[in-house]
Amino acid sequence: MMETALSVEGFSVWRGRSEIVRSVDLEVGQGELVCLLGSNGAGKTTLTEGLLGVIPARARKLEFHGRAIAGLRPWHRVRAGIVLVPQERSLFAGMTVEENLLVGARPRSQAGPFDLAAMYELFPRLKDRAGQLAGTLSGGERSMLAIARGLMLQPRTLVLDEPSLGLAPVIVQTIMRTISDINAAGVSILLIEQNVHQALRLASRGYVLDGGKIIAAGTAESLLASSLVESGYLGSTTSTREER
């Protein structure tokens, strides 16, 4: 039986007085890649911020590797091993690529497999641009850097919020292959995406979020064949060209 990495039951998240995510149940197994699908405004980003404790949330159960984390501050959740790569990348534009990576590095006493050399092997383009300011990178390079910086925190579970957003299809393919490689290295992944077909090709299971509620869940194969995809409800999202 697969060990559970992240287990969520009755999870609700607020922005101000508005309840955006309502009583969500989801689970990510150890070493599993699970996707969370939904259109703009479905509540995907709000859910991720609630998981990390950035905004107010309430749950019947919120456990990470069997440990209750609902009462932990965001940085304690990160130290426990759950790391968010946000949709907006949140890079330090005035710092170089390498400086951005080193900001995410754990102290040597807590070092893990994802060190600077491993990041340059995983993302050769970042090695070529190590001394370049992050603010001058292309969209695809910024996405690579955001993921690499998250990995430098040695995550047990990586939460990726729209990593393909704004990228040309050829760059999306590269990013998705890299996400698959990261998962193959043993990192559990919760992949939040509008790019339905790309996400379901990588994932073993998926959830569909709409209006802050889970409206469908199942294997990747069953969701690909479902009426939600067939009818175009989820759309066949293609990336906006940003990369040249």
Side-chain angles (χ1 to χ4, degrees):
M1 187 175 178
M2 184 184 293
E3 179 190 347
T4 301
L6 180 66
S7 184
V8 177
E9 293 179 7
F11 189 62
S12 299
V13 190
W14 283 261
R15 288 194 183 277
R17 295 184 179 180
S18 300
E19 186 181 15
I20 306 299
V21 173
R22 290 172 282 174
S23 199
V24 161
D25 296 350
L26 65 83
E27 187 171 283
V28 180
Q30 172 57 40
E32 192 178 22
L33 197 162
V34 174
C35 61
L36 178 68
L37 308 171
S39 57
N40 274 331
K44 302 187 304 297
T45 293
T46 298
L47 188 149
T48 63
E49 291 178 351
L51 287 176
L52 268 291
V54 176
I55 55 179
R58 196 164 57 209
R60 288 195 307 272
K61 179 182 179 182
L62 179 57
E63 290 184 354
F64 187 61
H65 288 275
R67 177 190 179 189
I69 62 170
L72 297 183
R73 298 284 191 180
W75 52 91
H76 290 141
R77 299 186 196 197
V78 172
R79 287 175 188 165
I82 181 168
V83 172
L84 170 66
V85 178
Q87 180 185 125
E88 63 275 9
R89 318 302 190 226
S90 298
L91 302 174
F92 295 102
M95 295 169 64
T96 66
V97 165
E98 188 155 311
E99 287 169 342
N100 268 272
L101 291 173
L102 292 175
V103 162
R106 288 287 187 97
R108 233 172 242 202
S109 60
Q110 302 171 22
F114 299 114
D115 58 11
L116 195 60
M119 292 306 93
Y120 286 153
E121 184 174 347
L122 191 62
F123 298 102
R125 289 176 72 164
L126 296 184
K127 184 176 182 179
D128 294 340
R129 290 155 177 72
Q132 189 172 323
L133 294 180
T136 66
L137 298 177
S138 68
E141 290 161 353
R142 289 198 297 273
S143 187
M144 293 175 194
L145 180 54
I147 294 170
R149 189 178 61 181
L151 289 173
M152 293 285 284
L153 285 163
Q154 312 303 326
R156 300 172 76 184
T157 293
L158 192 63
V159 181
L160 297 170
D161 189 2
E162 303 276 13
S164 72
L165 186 67
L167 305 183
V170 65
I171 304 301
V172 171
Q173 293 286 345
T174 299
I175 294 292
M176 292 297 177
R177 281 196 300 270
T178 304
I179 290 170
S180 182
D181 290 343
I182 294 166
N183 179 236
V187 179
S188 309
I189 295 177
L190 178 60
L191 175 62
I192 289 86
E193 267 291 345
Q194 287 186 67
N195 201 322
V196 174
H197 290 87
Q198 289 282 358
L200 288 174
R201 286 190 191 105
L202 290 185
S204 58
R205 295 185 299 108
Y207 298 87
V208 180
L209 191 71
D210 182 55
K213 294 181 178 181
I214 298 293
I215 61 168
T219 65
E221 292 81 3
S222 67
L223 288 175
L224 273 170
S226 75
S227 59
L228 287 173
V229 174
E230 290 292 328
S231 67
Y233 173 80
L234 285 174
S236 54
T237 307
T238 53
S239 299
T240 302
R241 287 191 175 273
E242 176 178 304
E243 193 81 19
R244 290 190 295 271

